[in-house]
Amino acid sequence: MSSHDSQAPQNGQTPQDGPTDTPEAAASERTSPLHDAHTAAGASFTDFAGWQMPVRYSSDLAEHHAVRTAAGLFDLSHMAEIVLIGPEAGQALDYALAGKLSALALDQAKYSMLLSRAGGILDDLVVYRTGDDRYMVVANASNRETVAEELRDRTAPFDVEVYDESDDIALIAVQGPAALSILLATPGFHLEGDDFAQRVTDLKYYWSIPAEFETHPVLVARTGYTGEDGFELYIAPDNARALWDALLESGREQGLVPAGLASRDTLRLEAGMPLYGHELGRDTMPAQAGLGRVVNLAKDTDFVGRAASEEGPDAEARVLVGLMGHGKRAARAGYPVLAPAPDGGEEEVGVVTSGALSPTIGVPIAMAYVAPKFARPGVELHVDVRGSSLPFTVTALPFYSRKKH
């Protein structure tokens, strides 16, 4: 999935809100069921949507390269899981979300969005069909309450119950080219009446299988947010530490390392994956972010935000592009994007939403919203990097894909 969040640290930095240091904030801070494991591994922590989560263990670069060349292990237990159960669960989600979720096959997953009536993005989500009448919606930690409340409100006319099960589910992701072999080498996995190794090997992207780890239920999903092959494992919090330790032990010889949220951010940026609160938000329509296909206007039922989506964004509304620079100076979120002005100077035509010096490619990369006339790949623009106007070229996303490399 696109396990993602508006509070993600930007390229090794702490989030915009910064660490919480007031007594009231400290009292409300949440920790992962894996917190002790992170502490023992020497992790540095940051506030992440009210959670204390590991931002790095060793170095951002080392963890990033491990995921690209071997594998990284991520704790994503801060994510929100909201379950819908009932005979009309599929139809309810068709109305509540932008996609046609009732068309999902059993064990299939789909990326979707919760839209406002004005067509803006309240959250981006991954939806799993985990039973004939059961779906699990995975939302960003910072939007947990919003998503749960909106789903309850929007599905009220349908025969369905909505349960926020976030506190009862931990989430661990193993990502990288060695992810499959590490999963297969980890003892304790079992699939009743079936060969676990064969089923996992054959598992397609955005599909899942219900299995067991040491007799405890675990949902094994071939999803992720790094641009690499990988799996996301949903398990009860009490059993998360045993699974985490088993994966690390089995993967050590294959180069598996624990990885923090800083490397996760540069990985998803290279893969051109949008981040809620940066590329996505309430004032942005999916079409502006290049995600118009997520909104299923072909489905024959109404859904919240349909009328606005059919009308679409204004013709001059800014659109999302990739930018690639030179040298070593990165464009960061909030930096102005510039183009030549009629008077011979430069005028602001956009803004950077995420940026970093790419660990894999070795040059500055960024995503930015720019005026449509500047959105064509190959267009030369500039970014104001702390007072210096530096050249960047509009580049098709993603910057990195494992097929290219």
Side-chain angles (χ1 to χ4, degrees), residues 28-41:
S28 64
E29 280 178 356
R30 307 193 63 188
T31 56
S32 158
L34 297 167
H35 189 80
D36 289 347
H38 304 321
T39 302

Side-chain angles (χ1 to χ4, degrees), residues 169-362:
I169 298 174
L171 176 56
I172 296 171
V174 54
Q175 297 280 302
L180 175 60
S181 60
I182 289 168
L183 202 60
L184 296 181
T186 303
F189 283 104
H190 174 70
L191 192 57
E192 186 175 349
D194 217 336
D195 179 38
F196 177 80
Q198 191 61 52
R199 283 288 305 277
V200 170
T201 301
D202 293 343
L203 196 61
K204 295 178 181 178
Y205 191 50
Y206 265 68
W207 286 77
S208 64
I209 52 173
E212 289 185 347
F213 175 74
E214 296 182 348
T215 73
H216 303 293
V218 58
L219 182 71
V220 179
R222 203 161 202 167
T223 46
Y225 191 56
T226 62
E228 299 296 340
D229 187 20
F231 298 86
E232 294 182 319
L233 310 171
Y234 296 83
I235 194 167
D238 289 347
N239 309 125
R241 178 65 187 269
L243 176 57
W244 177 271
D245 290 346
L247 288 165
L248 277 180
E249 179 66 26
S250 299
R252 186 171 290 116
E253 291 185 0
Q254 300 186 58
L256 177 68
V257 301
L261 298 176
S263 63
R264 184 175 164 80
D265 195 42
T266 50
L267 289 159
R268 69 90 193 168
L269 175 57
E270 288 182 346
M273 294 178 169
L275 178 67
Y276 195 87
H278 290 261
E279 287 72 44
L280 308 178
R282 292 170 180 255
D283 296 327
T284 304
M285 299 185 75
Q288 293 175 257
L291 296 170
R293 66 188 183 282
V294 176
V295 183
N296 189 341
L297 294 175
K299 62 181 176 180
D300 55 5
T301 54
D302 192 19
F303 62 91
V304 178
R306 175 161 196 146
S309 298
E310 288 175 335
E311 185 174 334
D314 183 89
E316 296 304 310
R318 290 176 174 180
V319 294
L320 188 67
V321 299
L323 296 175
M324 188 175 289
H326 311 277
K328 299 296 181 183
R329 297 188 66 186
R332 304 293 186 184
Y335 287 9
V337 179
L338 311 170
D343 63 5
E346 291 184 311
E347 60 180 352
E348 182 173 338
V349 297
V351 63
V352 173
T353 52
S354 298
L357 178 62
S358 166
T360 304
I361 304 169

